[in-house]
Amino acid sequence: MTNWRIRDFHSADLDGILHLWESLKDSDVEPVYALSEVLASCEKDHAVVAVQGDQVVGAAVGRAAHDQGWIVFLATLPEYRGRGIGTSLLAAVENRMAPHGLNKLSALMPEAETRVEAFLSRGFALKKNLRYFERTIPVQRQELGALGQLGGRILARDLWENVAGMRKEKELLERRLVLPLAEADLADEYGVVPPRAVVLFGPPGTGKTTFAKAIASRLEWPFVEVFPSRLASDPKGLAGALRETFLEIAELEHCVVFIDEVEEIASQRSGEPPSPLQGVTNELLKIIPAFREQPGRLLVCATNFIRALDTAFLRHGRFDYVIPIGLPDRQAREAMWQRFIPATVVDDVDVELLVERTEGFSPADIEYAARSASQRALEKAVYDDGGAASAGNVSVREAVRKGPCTQDYLDAIGDTRTTVTQEVHELFLEDIDSLGRV
Ligand SMILES: Nc1ncnc2c1ncn2[C@@H]1O[C@H](COP(=O)(O)OP(=O)(O)OP(=O)(O)O)[C@@H](O)[C@H]1O
Ligand SMILES: [Mg+2]
């Protein structure tokens, strides 16, 4: 049985490649390159097969990338091993890749790989002290089109860590949402049904949008924001456009869908004649059950005005949790100040005092006060230095280096009008009692 021969791969050999792949799997060797990658390279890159009669008994597949080429697959049927087929396959595939002018050919093989001889006899050296790392990219290539269409995107990885303070809210979201969604199998073992839809409510600027994005970042799921105001101009009308958008969303493997100011499309259905938005609210009520049936996704709706929402909208079974996001407590304000004050000056600033003076401030208010303190301090240092300083002057740079001081922050705080009035805050506390569900 020596009359095997090597030739270029043809499409008709795909079954043979599949058979080889399965023979590898049977011998408990987990190949580094996925089958789909190997098949893609067979068609688009460089592949040679060893055949005996009509049967494919071995194959080598390579891929050229700039100066370095990679062997993505090398296999011989078990009963054909030890005859030098692997060596010949390697030689042939290297030949095919030669026109690329590669200066290195590499192969990454499972530790249990037995055809070491084939590599060694073709002049490959076994590299020591290498480790193989692998990460699965959360969004697959075939989803990118749908994601782009929806204006969705993958957010930065660190948004969750960047939410300063808000320990209570963070812990709640981590336990109720992130844990069961990220550890779906574990949740299943405990009979936990992962949440599919939540409402975040609270006064303006408390971090609802920030949390929605942070959840997506934490889960490494794409973030898709649905803008009812943009959909309204669609020729199909808002309800039709909303339906279509959710059909597109259904094509994604995973995602966090965010609807901000949801009260605009899901407010109390009342009045005669019915408001034209009623059809939209009805549509949304229909969309949510279908959305809930698919795993790997979470709908986050945010509102400043939860009592305006349609009561049917909020009921059990539609939203798993109705979570308040309120004003930051002492600890949260301290964490925010620590975040917003430049590291170079933070030790000289009386942060405790700022924390005290910003009771009732939202994160947005604190961020605003911190920014304006920085801006003022910079302007003061550059322009108010008795006229002696001008841009480019060394002494100016020295002054600028000092950065904002406690008084700059106190001044900025004094000039910041808080967004959340006492009255709004009290209404929010009532809403937590009557509508919150965690
Ligand atoms: N925990 C936080 N740490 C640091 N910055 C925060 C935090 N929460 C919110 N911010 C900042 O405060 C600002 C307002 O936050 P965000 O837009 O998330 O609030 P919101 O509740 O969605 O407001 P609105 O009700 O007006 O939509 C943003 O600039 C955000 O970066
Ligand atoms: Mg918001």
Side-chain angles (χ1 to χ4, degrees):
M1 285 216 306
T2 50
N3 53 342
W4 52 268
R5 64 188 179 86
I6 305 260
R7 64 160 169 76
D8 282 353
F9 165 88
H10 308 314
S11 293
D13 299 328
L14 275 179
D15 277 348
I17 301 277
L18 223 68
H19 185 52
L20 281 166
W21 175 270
E22 273 153 16
S23 77
L24 278 191
K25 290 290 237 192
D26 288 347
S27 52
D28 254 1
V29 178
E30 182 70 36
V32 174
Y33 286 86
L35 178 60
S36 56
E37 284 297 294
V38 172
L39 296 181
S41 268
C42 282
E43 298 280 8
K44 295 195 183 126
D45 301 314
H46 309 280
V48 293
V49 291
V51 288
Q52 168 130 26
D54 289 342
Q55 195 193 5
V56 173
V57 300
V61 183
R63 178 181 284 185
H66 310 291
D67 290 343
Q68 189 170 11
W70 285 88
I71 302 296
V72 298
F73 187 63
L74 176 71
T76 318
L77 288 180
E79 60 272 31
Y80 285 84
R81 294 197 187 145
R83 303 180 196 184
I85 299 181
T87 308
S88 306
L89 283 166
L90 279 177
V93 79
E94 187 178 331
N95 237 344
R96 283 218 37 170
M97 291 162 85
H100 284 275
L102 304 175
N103 46 32
K104 193 186 280 180
L105 196 54
S106 310
L108 200 51
M109 293 289 149
E111 200 152 22
E113 168 67 57
T114 49
R115 268 129 327 128
V116 176
E117 282 310 315
F119 283 103
L120 295 179
S121 63
R122 282 299 308 159
F124 284 75
L126 181 64
K127 291 285 196 182
K128 294 267 165 60
N129 302 324
L130 290 179
R131 288 186 192 203
Y132 171 68
F133 294 94
E134 185 177 87
R135 176 171 130 75
T136 307
I137 303 293
V139 176
Q140 306 292 305
R141 183 199 296 262
Q142 61 272 22
E143 290 180 84
L144 286 177
L147 195 58
Q149 188 103 6
L150 288 159
R153 63 211 157 99
I154 298 288
L155 302 173
R157 297 284 305 276
D158 56 0
L159 298 188
W160 183 261
E161 288 75 36
N162 282 349
V163 177
M166 309 299 273
R167 277 226 313 256
K168 266 198 331 268
E169 288 82 356
K170 257 179 131 167
E171 189 177 304
L172 184 76
L173 296 172
E174 172 84 38
R175 287 168 178 239
R176 302 283 201 280
L177 306 185
V178 175
L179 173 66
L181 292 171
E183 304 285 346
D185 292 344
L186 186 65
D188 190 46
E189 275 173 37
Y190 281 81
V192 171
V193 180
R196 296 276 177 256
V198 297
V199 175
L200 304 181
F201 72 98
T206 47
K208 297 175 292 297
T209 303
T210 304
F211 268 121
K213 290 184 173 165
I215 293 165
S217 158
R218 177 78 176 73
L219 289 168
E220 290 188 46
W221 289 0
F223 181 79
V224 174
E225 178 158 5
V226 174
F227 293 96
S229 56
R230 288 189 205 163
L231 297 180
S233 58
D234 194 285
K236 287 178 285 304
L238 178 49
L242 207 56
R243 184 167 48 233
E244 193 141 297
T245 303
F246 273 85
L247 285 176
E248 280 171 38
I249 287 170
E251 298 192 359
L252 299 174
E253 192 75 15
H254 291 292
C255 76
V256 170
V257 181
F258 181 54
I259 306 181
D260 208 357
E261 298 178 11
V262 74
E263 71 278 4
E264 286 184 5
I265 52 167
S267 54
Q268 307 264 8
R269 288 174 290 183
S270 62
E272 280 299 326
S275 119
L277 277 179
Q278 207 147 307
V280 178
T281 308
N282 291 340
E283 188 61 46
L284 193 60
L285 292 179
K286 275 192 276 173
I287 283 172
I288 294 172
F291 181 89
R292 297 187 61 90
E293 280 169 16
Q294 268 190 299
R297 58 210 56 233
L298 177 71
L299 172 66
V300 181
C301 293
T303 179
N304 288 332
F305 204 41
I306 189 143
R307 50 181 77 194
L309 291 180
D310 190 299
T311 33
F313 185 71
L314 278 184
R315 77 160 169 75
H316 283 274
R318 212 158 255 137
F319 287 94
D320 302 276
Y321 301 110
V322 180
I323 301 173
I325 304 289
L327 290 175
D329 60 11
R330 273 194 86 82
Q331 240 171 6
R333 294 200 303 277
E334 157 136 31
M336 282 168 208
W337 280 115
Q338 295 284 355
R339 171 74 45 81
F340 295 135
I341 299 171
T344 43
V345 298
V346 72
D347 288 344
D348 300 325
V349 173
D350 187 349
V351 177
E352 266 305 288
L353 185 60
L354 306 188
V355 169
E356 208 161 288
R357 294 284 174 87
T358 44
E359 169 139 33
F361 277 50
S362 70
D365 297 334
I366 295 177
E367 190 174 20
Y368 173 80
R371 291 219 169 125
S372 46
S374 289
Q375 178 65 31
R376 279 166 206 234
L378 174 66
E379 289 181 19
K380 208 164 61 183
V382 174
Y383 301 117
D384 299 351
D385 196 12
S390 61
N393 187 318
V394 176
S395 68
V396 170
R397 253 182 277 130
E398 283 306 307
V400 169
R401 265 217 197 118
K402 287 197 198 94
C405 61
T406 305
Q407 193 55 48
D408 293 319
Y409 286 108
L410 291 176
D411 290 346
I413 289 169
D415 289 347
T416 303
R417 218 172 327 120
T418 54
T419 327
V420 184
T421 60
Q422 188 60 29
E423 193 195 344
V424 168
H425 185 61
E426 274 158 23
L427 291 178
F428 171 62
L429 296 180
E430 278 178 33
D431 288 341
I432 296 179
D433 275 343
S434 56
L435 297 165
R437 195 170 2 109
V438 298

